[in-house]
Amino acid sequence: MDTHVFANLAQIRILLVPIGAIPQQTFEKYASEIRSFDAIRLGDIAVEGTKDERARFQPKSLATGYLHLSFPSHPPPHSHQALSLLRPSHFPLAIIGVATCSRSEALPEIISQFHDTALDMFPPTGIYPLARNCFVFEEGSSSGISPSGQHPELIIFPEMMGNRKLHIGTLLGEICSKIFGEFGVLIQRLESPLGNEYLNASLFPSLPLLTDLPPSLGSKDTLPPLPSHSSQPEISKSALSKVAPAMKRNSSLGVPTVRKRLSAIGAASSHGRLFKVMADLFLLAGRTEDALIWYTEALQLLKSPLDSIWNASALEGMATIPILDAWSAGHGLQTSTSAGREPWSDIADKLTQATTLYFKVPPSEVENYQYLSYLYCCCVLRHTSLLFAIWSAKGWGPLAFTTMLQPGPTPYLPPTLSHSESTTWANLERLSSMSGIPRTTISSLLAQVHGPWLLHLGPRERVGVLEAIASTYSCLGYRRKESYILREVLGCILDLIVCGREEDAHTNMRLFGNKGNVGIRLNESSDGNESILKLLKHVCKVLGVNLDAIQILDDNNDPKNHPEADDDADVYREPFGWPELQIGVVRESVAVAEALPDFLAVAQYALSSLKTLQEFLEPGDQYHLYSTAARAMQTARRRGAMKAVEYWSGRPVVSITLAPLPFIRLPIEKPISALRPRTSDSNAILKGGTDPFLYNPRKMNTQVGKPLVVQGEVLEFIVIVQNPYVFDMELQSLSLSTSGVPFESTAISVIIPARSYHRAVLSGKALTTGTLVVRGCIVQAPGGVAREFVLPLATEDEEERLAHKRSAALCEAGRSKYSGLDNFPWERKRSQTSGPESSRSSKTMMFLECKVVPEQPLLRIRRTTVTHGALMLYDGEMSSIRITFENIAPLPIDFIRLAFDDSTMTPAQQALAEGEMSVFETYETEYALIHRPVFSWIKNDSVTIAPGRKVTLTINCFGKVGCTEGTIHASYSYIHRDPSDNKETSVFHTRQLSYPLMVTVYRMLESHGMDILPYPSYPMGTDGNLATNNSNNLNLFVQDNGAWCLFSVDIMNTYGIPFEVSIERVQEDVPWGETLVNVPPGSTSRLVIPLKKFLLGNEHISRPIPTLSDRQFVVDKTKLSDAEQKMQRELFWYREELFKSLRCQWREAGGTRYGDLSLRQQRLTLTMLKTLRTEKAGIQLSLMRSGNPGKPIEQSAGKYHPPCSEPVYLHIKVTNLTKTTLVFTLDVNIDPREHVIHDGILCDIPVGRLEAKESREIEVAICFLCHGRFEVLASARVLDSSGSSSETGSARLSVMVNTDA
């Protein structure tokens, strides 16, 4: 491809072609040695000794100029033969074949192949090439190649040649000398009138073969001969600038004028074109002085509008000469002809004039349009390369000349544009400032090339021109203009490729012939696809479309080898570029990839566009791209592609959670210390709903932990996936990505509805015990490569990282921190991530972790004695139910425990936790929870259940009013495992099986009106027993009525059937007693039973009211004084002792149901306490007659009948009933007192100190003065150390005084 070098008009093109089966690497090696000679001194070229026309263009002896060479890799198209005279530098003037040979016998074949190759490349009617040679390099020959009898065009390079490069340079000089000789032959033919007529016959003349042109037509018909080589005067370079402008037609070179023609043949033809051709050949021969003279003469004659193209071409040649001379001198023109003009101004003016002439050529034949367009484009590109070389070299100087003369198949970049920061804004503006040429000037000049005339160019020329435009825009930093031109380049190249492949397909189909209806698919060529796709990606990248957003990977690529996906949907993304333009270039990209065809590229581009341009794509475009990508991946897979695209739809996985295990399968971790015997299980029952401590580390540790799963059992994970697109998206494979213990799972396929979230369930089994870490999910789209998406837990650090990322993205939005195309989203992201490590990489990510415990047994309830799960009880009823458990696992069960819960426990526990109740209420609540549970069982540690076996357990039930439901929890485990399989640990794991019950409790009996009365006195019979006729009430009578009291309570039946209610006396050291009564429906009955009084010690009643739980403290909410607290404690302990002495039960009349009747709702008053409590002193009163010894006075119906006005003695016996020594005093009160006289005092009668159980008798003489009823009351008091006293016992005596006694 032509690189459009500025000085290509002065470069001799030598075409290098491979001959035979030479490897490309070998050809490139030898070709690089030949291409190293880009300039040859004219003095180093061997001049032929002939003095004929071949010596005209030969360099002079000791010439100081240079001959410039270029070595293209392709010849021009055959259609350009019309430019052979107008632009001889456009054609290869020589062809060199490069071949390798190891034996002499192959030389004839090589020369034959060389000739065939030359004939294929150049038309037989063409003028060029003027020289042909074939370089044969010897390789692998043991005896050497014999050069005897070889073809003159064949040059052999022995393998052992010492200085091969020097020999190549000498041969190139000889080839150039041969070319110069052919130049003379060509000019000799053109000097003839017939040749001049051919030259002026058309706008783009062409000559027949040189052998067809006669050398001369006779002396009378020949033109005056042009000056020969020997007749030209020497003109120095210093005089060139002065002589050339003033040169006239009668110059010192003796150039003849047209007016002096002697023949009529060619008299109408001008010599301007001939002079221009001579100037071109002199320019190619390195003789710039002669070229300038002939260009000047030609310009004087090319004034006709029909010769404007030749005039413009001559101006281009004249513009090239100063650059060649400056390069040969080794320095630039430091002084200019005008102080206000730049050194390159004259050159630019000539090129501008030439461009204008090309543009204003009058219309001609249509077949000439392509040549006119090509010459115009080349002239503008030459002008552009002049300014570009000066701009890139920071001004006029040797570096600029080198850039303008640099040959080669690839464009040359000066050092100022070949470093890493060459395209930065600062570097580009620095070049503009230093060179004095703005980038906009070069860009506006280059824009003149682009126009409709490009359509007249052939495909190859159009691609070359567009490529030169795009590369210049790229070096200038105009990347968007470059991409605009490259889109046209892609269109041209694609047309060539598609048309070429269709022609090959048609040719191959003709070879197959008619095969009927059999479909034949030929192998498609993929040569060049990679370069086109690379160019396509560059164009899209400049416009802000990243076609590499989705990568193409190997099918067997490990999903975990992908870089971490960081597609956070909630992170703000700032838009870039013009969406309309981006969507258009995306469509073109997909169409280009389909036309090649490259199915993987089609899928990659379509899916990358969906990912990056989703918010700008219309629903129809989204569906089209998705369906196109799906078809392309299917086709690529069907055709055996070993690669596929990665997953493309951002981050599809939103969340992963472990599905809660069924309650019967949930393992519960317990410390091994839980197996030790415990004295009471009250703590578990009394545990409140809230923790009284603000911070409890033990409770925190038990609540926060890894979820427990069981080895070998199916686990289910709930995965939430999303689809942000307007079409239903299919996931071919969705599976879990785990680490830690081996996990066996099966991938599933999922179809996610459009623009929605979808719930998928993934299941699997953990094969061993340990920790199972769920990293995320492995997702694979249809026909794509699987990819792992890591999903860390939403910890505080992770949430902070995401919040920081969102805020940083919002902060970056709208800020112009990056210039030009560095503002690409992926470039900005790369620059941000190239700094310090992100917070995610610096901190360890936390994933969902599960603790896998050993295999566990599984229990189920086989049967129960409860109908429909409902239990109906009376208040206080005691019943039992039986539950049969079955072990359905292959492991035995050697541990089983039952726990219970009911609806009355939660309110009570909550009230206890709140701590707002008094101490007495707290005790009653705890008592009801511990001693009156709804369900209970007798613990049995020897229960074992073998695999497949059953066991029946009995649970006791108690009816409690207010209970509506209850639950029986069975915890079980396999603890004593084989020690070889499991290591000893400090924990074990249980499972729990719950059986809920609906409970209905009927309240049928209510107790109220409890009272404790003094035991009454009853008349004694003659035999000393109680005088009663009711044998049923015998248990109500006792002998020592002073030591007893009567307990009574009212029972009301609120139910519809009668009940038998009994109350039993169960006091220690007291005979058992019972009272039974039948309570009809709706009636109230009283139960009365004697109760022996008792006395509690001071140590007992001084204890605080206890708590039945292990709480550290209980705050009494009531504000009581010390005396009140003492009295409250005394009432509490006597009440507790009272309820221990009694047991109240009921039984259904005529039925089998029975239960307890609670009396704890009753309250003990101070009056009841005094009656119930045993007195410290026992007093017995009696009346005795006077005398020695005295006789007792008769009694009747419990009353004494002493005589009136007769002295009697009041006998008082005081007994210390306590277990300590006390001091007593005695008070006697007789009512009415005014009718009685006594001896001594009746108050504070000293009794003295009495030991425990000791008695002392005191007699007081009294006399009743009248008849009537008298009451005698004696009370004893105890004196303490402070002198105060308190009443501790009393006795009463009734006296009836009669007149006849």
Side-chain angles (χ1 to χ4, degrees):
M1 196 66 67
D2 194 355
T3 56
H4 297 280
V5 181
F6 174 83
N8 59 2
L9 294 178
Q11 293 176 345
I12 295 178
R13 298 194 177 195
I14 301 176
L15 181 62
L16 302 179
V17 294
I19 303 300
I22 180 173
Q24 182 180 0
Q25 186 177 3
T26 305
F27 171 76
E28 293 295 339
K29 180 182 70 172
Y30 294 128
S32 62
E33 295 181 5
I34 301 173
R35 290 192 181 105
S36 63
F37 295 92
D38 54 356
I40 301 177
R41 284 181 174 273
L42 294 179
D44 296 338
I45 298 177
V47 181
E48 298 181 359
T50 59
K51 298 299 182 180
D52 57 2
E53 68 277 358
R54 292 182 179 274
R56 178 180 296 184
F57 292 93
Q58 296 290 344
K60 302 175 182 178
S61 59
L62 302 178
T64 58
Y66 284 86
L67 183 65
H68 298 277
L69 307 178
S70 67
F71 301 92
S73 57
H74 295 82
H78 292 181
S79 61
H80 281 200
Q81 291 300 317
L83 301 176
S84 58
L85 295 177
L86 178 65
R87 186 64 59 85
S89 62
H90 181 61
F91 298 88
L93 303 180
I95 178 173
I96 296 178
V98 181
T100 58
C101 184
S102 60
R103 55 189 178 87
S104 302
E105 292 79 5
L107 293 178
E109 184 182 355
I110 291 176
I111 194 64
S112 175
Q113 292 178 354
F114 174 64
H115 289 161
D116 294 340
T117 303
L119 289 176
D120 291 339
M121 290 184 175
F122 300 97
T125 60
I127 303 175
Y128 311 107
L130 303 177
R132 304 184 183 189
N133 287 97
C134 183
F135 290 177
V136 179
F137 295 88
E138 181 185 358
E139 285 188 356
S141 177
S142 58
S143 59
I145 301 176
S146 174
S148 60
Q150 68 180 13
H151 197 277
E153 295 180 356
L154 202 61
I155 300 174
I156 300 175
F157 291 84
E159 189 175 7
M160 302 304 293
M161 179 177 288
N163 197 344
R164 184 170 58 192
K165 187 174 182 180
L166 179 61
H167 185 45
I168 291 175
T170 303
L171 292 175
L172 289 176
E174 295 177 358
I175 294 174
C176 292
S177 179
K178 188 184 299 185
I179 293 173
F180 297 158
E182 297 296 329
F183 282 171
V185 175
L186 176 61
I187 290 298
Q188 184 186 16
R189 300 296 188 270
L190 293 177
E191 287 175 350
S192 64
L194 183 59
N196 197 34
E197 287 297 330
Y198 274 112
L199 191 60
N200 291 275
S202 63
L203 186 62
F204 298 99
S206 61
L207 295 178
L209 294 176
L210 298 182
T211 56
D212 296 339
L213 288 176
S216 64
L217 298 177
S219 59
K220 63 178 182 180
D221 296 331
T222 58
L223 292 174
L226 295 177
S228 63
H229 167 72
S230 59
S231 65
Q232 294 180 10
E234 292 289 337
I235 301 177
S236 63
K237 287 180 58 178
S238 60
L240 181 62
S241 60
K242 298 178 181 179
V243 174
M247 188 176 299
K248 297 181 180 180
R249 297 184 65 81
N250 298 326
S251 63
S252 59
L253 294 178
V255 179
T257 63
V258 177
R259 292 190 299 270
K260 293 182 180 180
R261 283 186 180 178
L262 302 177
S263 174
I265 300 176
S269 300
S270 170
H271 292 77
R273 295 188 181 185
L274 178 60
F275 295 163
K276 190 265 178 187
V277 173
M278 288 190 64
D280 288 341
L281 298 182
F282 274 118
L283 184 62
L284 289 171
R287 297 171 59 175
T288 57
E289 297 87 347
D290 297 336
L292 181 60
I293 293 173
W294 290 108
Y295 277 134
T296 304
E297 289 296 325
L299 290 176
Q300 296 295 329
L301 300 176
L302 298 174
K303 298 297 185 180
S304 172
L306 297 177
D307 294 332
S308 58
I309 293 179
W310 292 79
N311 191 354
S313 181
L315 290 173
E316 287 187 84
M318 289 187 67
T320 308
I321 294 175
I323 303 300
L324 298 177
D325 292 340
W327 181 84
S328 300
H331 57 81
L333 301 176
Q334 302 299 330
T335 59
S336 63
T337 57
S338 175
R341 292 175 63 83
E342 297 290 348
W344 61 86
S345 298
D346 292 337
I347 304 173
D349 291 343
K350 289 183 177 65
L351 293 175
T352 303
Q353 185 180 357
T355 303
T356 305
L357 290 174
Y358 281 129
F359 191 78
K360 293 182 178 180
V361 172
S364 61
E365 293 82 359
V366 178
E367 59 268 13
N368 294 333
Y369 286 173
Q370 60 171 329
Y371 309 128
L372 294 174
S373 300
Y374 182 70
L375 292 173
Y376 170 77
C377 294
C378 290
C379 185
V380 177
L381 290 176
R382 195 181 317 281
H383 194 179
T384 303
S385 62
L386 170 69
L387 299 182
F388 175 77
I390 299 172
W391 172 79
S392 62
K394 301 180 182 179
W396 183 263
L399 183 58
F401 309 146
T402 303
T403 304
M404 287 185 279
L405 289 173
Q406 183 68 29
T410 57
Y412 171 75
L413 283 180
T416 56
L417 296 177
S418 58
H419 55 88
S420 59
E421 298 182 356
S422 59
T423 57
T424 59
W425 181 87
N427 182 67
L428 298 175
E429 292 300 320
R430 187 185 301 112
L431 294 177
S432 299
S433 175
M434 298 181 69
S435 64
I437 301 177
R439 290 187 296 159
T440 55
T441 301
I442 305 175
S443 176
S444 60
L445 179 61
L446 188 61
Q448 299 177 17
V449 182
H450 194 267
W453 45 83
L454 291 178
L455 299 177
H456 296 294
L457 298 178
R460 176 178 171 182
E461 291 74 29
R462 191 185 310 138
V463 171
V465 170
L466 293 174
E467 180 184 358
I469 299 173
S471 59
T472 305
Y473 277 139
S474 177
C475 294
L476 293 175
Y478 297 134
R479 304 282 294 279
R480 291 190 178 91
K481 293 183 178 180
E482 174 201 8
S483 66
Y484 176 75
I485 301 299
L486 288 179
R487 291 175 70 180
E488 297 190 18
V489 174
L490 282 172
C492 297
I493 297 177
L494 195 64
D495 290 341
L496 293 175
I497 292 179
V498 173
C499 294
R501 291 177 181 174
E502 288 180 354
E503 292 176 0
D504 294 342
H506 291 313
T507 302
N508 293 329
M509 289 301 295
R510 286 195 297 269
L511 295 178
F512 279 102
N514 187 9
K515 299 296 183 180
N517 296 327
V518 178
I520 301 174
R521 184 179 67 85
L522 301 176
N523 290 330
E524 297 170 346
S525 174
S526 61
D527 297 339
N529 288 4
E530 183 178 356
S531 300
I532 293 177
L533 296 180
K534 185 176 181 181
L535 187 62
L536 185 63
K537 290 180 181 179
H538 175 74
V539 172
C540 293
K541 184 177 181 181
V542 170
L543 297 178
V545 180
N546 185 15
L547 294 183
D548 286 328
I550 304 300
Q551 299 295 327
I552 297 179
L553 305 172
D554 294 334
D555 277 344
N556 55 358
N557 191 56
D558 187 1
K560 297 184 179 180
N561 288 340
H562 289 275
E564 180 185 344
D566 198 18
D567 302 315
D568 300 312
D570 55 348
V571 175
Y572 175 76
R573 301 179 192 172
E574 186 178 3
F576 179 84
W578 295 273
E580 296 80 4
L581 183 61
Q582 291 172 343
I583 294 174
V585 76
V586 161
R587 292 171 181 165
E588 292 182 10
S589 303
V590 176
V592 168
E594 285 181 322
L596 288 177
D598 190 329
F599 298 104
L600 287 179
V602 171
Q604 181 187 18
Y605 297 167
L607 297 179
S608 297
S609 305
L610 274 175
K611 180 179 180 180
T612 57
L613 299 176
Q614 175 204 348
E615 57 268 23
F616 307 114
L617 291 172
E618 296 294 333
D621 292 335
Q622 292 189 30
Y623 183 79
H624 170 70
L625 291 175
Y626 179 72
S627 58
T628 302
R631 290 194 306 268
M633 286 188 290
Q634 291 175 2
T635 305
R637 180 71 64 182
R638 188 170 56 251
R639 296 190 176 187
M642 302 303 296
K643 292 186 176 182
V645 296
E646 66 176 347
Y647 185 80
W648 54 274
S649 179
R651 180 184 290 274
V653 183
V654 178
S655 66
I656 302 176
T657 55
L658 175 64
L661 294 177
F663 186 74
I664 61 173
R665 293 182 177 270
L666 182 66
I668 303 173
E669 188 173 277
K670 298 289 185 180
I672 203 69
S673 59
L675 299 176
R676 300 171 186 169
R678 290 182 295 177
T679 57
S680 175
D681 293 335
S682 60
N683 281 339
I685 300 176
L686 298 176
K687 183 178 180 181
T690 58
D691 198 326
F693 301 97
L694 297 178
Y695 174 74
N696 190 339
R698 294 182 179 179
K699 190 173 182 180
M700 292 295 292
N701 290 336
T702 56
Q703 290 179 349
V704 179
K706 304 174 185 177
L708 301 180
V709 297
V710 181
Q711 171 190 354
E713 294 190 3
V714 177
L715 305 178
E716 291 185 349
F717 291 87
I718 300 175
V719 181
I720 305 298
V721 291
Q722 62 177 345
N723 176 16
Y725 301 98
V726 298
F727 48 82
D728 294 346
M729 186 171 62
E730 179 184 359
L731 300 182
Q732 177 181 337
S733 174
L734 178 65
S735 60
L736 291 175
S737 174
T738 62
S739 61
V741 302
F743 187 74
E744 181 185 82
S745 63
T746 304
I748 63 173
S749 60
V750 179
I751 297 179
I752 310 175
R755 290 182 176 177
S756 64
Y757 291 88
H758 185 72
R759 179 178 179 269
V761 179
L762 299 178
S763 59
K765 296 180 181 179
L767 303 181
T768 60
T769 61
T771 301
L772 175 64
V773 181
V774 181
R775 294 172 47 86
C777 282
I778 298 177
V779 183
Q780 181 181 9
V785 177
R787 180 172 184 177
E788 179 194 26
F789 288 91
V790 176
L791 190 66
L793 290 178
T795 58
E796 293 183 1
D797 295 338
E798 185 68 14
E799 294 294 336
E800 181 181 357
R801 184 192 69 83
L802 292 177
H804 176 73
K805 188 171 183 179
R806 285 190 289 266
S807 62
L810 292 174
C811 184
E812 288 284 337
R815 294 191 176 186
S816 300
K817 290 186 176 182
Y818 309 94
S819 61
L821 299 183
D822 291 336
N823 203 32
F824 285 140
W826 54 87
E827 293 291 343
R828 296 176 62 178
K829 184 177 180 180
R830 186 181 299 113
S831 63
Q832 294 170 3
T833 56
S834 61
E837 293 294 330
S838 62
S839 59
R840 173 179 287 193
S841 59
S842 60
K843 297 182 180 179
T844 303
M845 290 185 292
M846 308 225 10
F847 299 103
L848 175 63
E849 296 184 3
C850 303
K851 183 178 180 181
V852 183
V853 302
E855 293 181 278
Q856 299 294 321
L858 187 60
L859 202 63
R860 73 170 180 175
I861 298 177
R862 184 66 176 178
R863 67 180 66 89
T864 65
T865 58
V866 180
T867 304
H868 304 301
L871 186 64
M872 291 180 288
L873 300 173
Y874 291 126
D875 184 16
E877 180 181 359
M878 292 180 290
S879 179
S880 63
I881 60 176
R882 291 185 299 276
I883 300 178
T884 301
F885 298 96
E886 181 182 5
N887 184 5
I888 58 175
L891 296 178
I893 297 175
D894 56 4
F895 171 83
I896 186 168
R897 290 287 187 274
L898 297 184
F900 310 98
D901 188 16
D902 61 79
S903 58
T904 63
M905 295 177 65
T906 301
Q909 292 170 352
Q910 185 176 0
L912 290 174
E914 292 174 356
E916 298 295 333
M917 296 186 297
S918 64
V919 179
F920 180 77
E921 293 173 343
T922 300
Y923 178 85
E924 287 296 324
T925 303
E926 293 176 348
Y927 185 91
L929 289 174
I930 296 174
H931 298 290
R932 295 171 59 85
V934 177
F935 303 103
S936 61
W937 77 302
I938 300 176
K939 186 184 300 184
N940 186 2
D941 294 333
S942 61
V943 176
T944 59
I945 308 176
R949 293 295 189 178
K950 307 179 187 67
V951 69
T952 301
L953 299 180
T954 301
I955 294 96
N956 298 322
C957 305
F958 179 80
K960 183 184 292 188
V961 175
C963 180
T964 58
E965 59 183 1
T967 307
I968 301 173
H969 304 285
S971 299
Y972 59 94
S973 177
Y974 177 35
I975 298 175
H976 304 92
R977 298 173 181 262
D978 188 358
S980 61
D981 297 337
N982 300 278
K983 298 181 180 179
E984 294 185 1
T985 59
S986 59
V987 296
F988 70 99
H989 301 88
T990 65
R991 276 180 168 168
Q992 196 172 41
L993 181 63
S994 297
Y995 181 63
L997 288 171
M998 293 181 59
V999 181
T1000 303
V1001 179
Y1002 300 100
R1003 188 164 191 171
M1004 70 298 183
L1005 298 176
E1006 294 182 2
S1007 61
H1008 59 89
M1010 183 187 76
D1011 198 3
I1012 301 176
L1013 303 173
Y1015 193 85
S1017 298
Y1018 292 96
M1020 302 295 293
T1022 56
D1023 55 356
N1025 296 325
L1026 291 175
T1028 179
N1029 295 325
N1030 191 354
S1031 61
N1032 295 329
N1033 293 330
L1034 289 178
N1035 55 356
L1036 297 178
F1037 299 94
V1038 294
Q1039 296 294 335
D1040 188 5
N1041 54 7
W1044 292 77
C1045 62
L1046 288 179
F1047 174 84
S1048 65
V1049 62
D1050 295 335
I1051 305 299
M1052 182 176 64
N1053 185 356
T1054 60
Y1055 203 60
I1057 60 175
F1059 290 92
E1060 294 180 358
V1061 183
S1062 64
I1063 186 169
E1064 301 179 29
R1065 182 176 63 238
V1066 290
Q1067 286 181 292
E1068 295 182 0
D1069 302 330
V1070 178
W1072 175 85
E1074 180 186 19
T1075 300
L1076 180 64
V1077 64
N1078 192 328
V1079 184
S1083 63
T1084 301
S1085 300
R1086 171 166 293 185
L1087 291 174
V1088 180
I1089 190 170
L1091 192 66
K1092 189 172 184 179
K1093 298 180 180 180
F1094 54 87
L1095 180 65
L1096 302 178
N1098 291 331
E1099 298 82 0
H1100 193 162
I1101 61 176
S1102 62
R1103 290 183 299 175
I1105 299 176
T1107 58
L1108 302 181
S1109 64
D1110 60 349
R1111 290 188 294 172
Q1112 297 178 357
F1113 57 88
V1114 176
V1115 179
D1116 192 357
K1117 299 298 180 180
T1118 58
K1119 303 298 182 181
L1120 301 177
S1121 62
D1122 293 342
E1124 291 174 340
Q1125 289 184 4
K1126 181 179 179 181
M1127 180 59 64
Q1128 185 185 47
R1129 292 172 183 175
E1130 188 174 3
L1131 288 172
F1132 172 80
W1133 289 113
Y1134 273 98
R1135 179 175 178 271
E1136 290 299 310
E1137 193 67 23
L1138 171 65
F1139 291 152
K1140 289 180 182 179
S1141 303
L1142 297 174
R1143 183 169 59 202
C1144 189
Q1145 294 181 330
W1146 58 265
R1147 181 177 295 273
E1148 189 178 19
T1152 60
R1153 302 173 69 176
Y1154 64 95
D1156 289 339
L1157 180 62
S1158 177
L1159 302 176
R1160 300 198 67 86
Q1161 297 83 7
Q1162 310 302 318
R1163 291 292 180 261
L1164 183 67
T1165 63
L1166 287 176
T1167 304
M1168 298 180 189
L1169 175 62
K1170 291 181 180 179
T1171 306
L1172 178 63
R1173 184 176 50 196
T1174 302
E1175 299 172 342
K1176 296 180 179 180
I1179 302 176
Q1180 295 181 358
L1181 299 177
S1182 61
L1183 289 177
M1184 305 292 293
R1185 294 183 182 273
S1186 61
N1188 190 15
K1191 296 181 181 179
I1193 299 178
E1194 298 79 7
Q1195 295 186 46
S1196 176
K1199 298 180 180 60
Y1200 285 90
H1201 296 271
C1204 181
S1205 302
E1206 181 177 342
V1208 295
Y1209 290 93
L1210 178 62
H1211 186 81
I1212 304 172
K1213 184 179 182 180
V1214 180
T1215 304
N1216 184 5
L1217 300 178
T1218 65
K1219 298 179 179 180
T1220 59
T1221 303
L1222 298 176
V1223 177
F1224 295 94
T1225 61
L1226 190 64
D1227 294 332
V1228 178
N1229 184 20
I1230 303 175
D1231 186 35
R1233 190 169 183 176
E1234 60 272 14
H1235 299 289
V1236 178
I1237 59 176
H1238 56 86
D1239 181 18
I1241 59 176
L1242 295 181
C1243 294
D1244 295 331
I1245 301 173
V1247 178
R1249 185 181 302 274
L1250 298 178
E1251 299 295 334
K1253 305 302 180 181
E1254 182 181 0
S1255 299
R1256 185 167 298 173
E1257 296 181 356
I1258 298 175
E1259 290 184 352
V1260 177
I1262 60 176
C1263 181
F1264 300 100
L1265 300 180
C1266 65
H1267 64 275
R1269 180 183 178 89
F1270 294 85
E1271 294 289 335
V1272 178
L1273 176 65
S1275 59
R1277 290 181 298 167
V1278 177
L1279 296 177
D1280 53 13
S1281 58
S1282 61
S1284 61
S1285 61
S1286 60
E1287 184 177 351
T1288 60
S1290 62
R1292 183 181 299 274
L1293 182 67
S1294 297
V1295 178
M1296 183 64 69
V1297 180
N1298 298 322
T1299 55
D1300 56 353

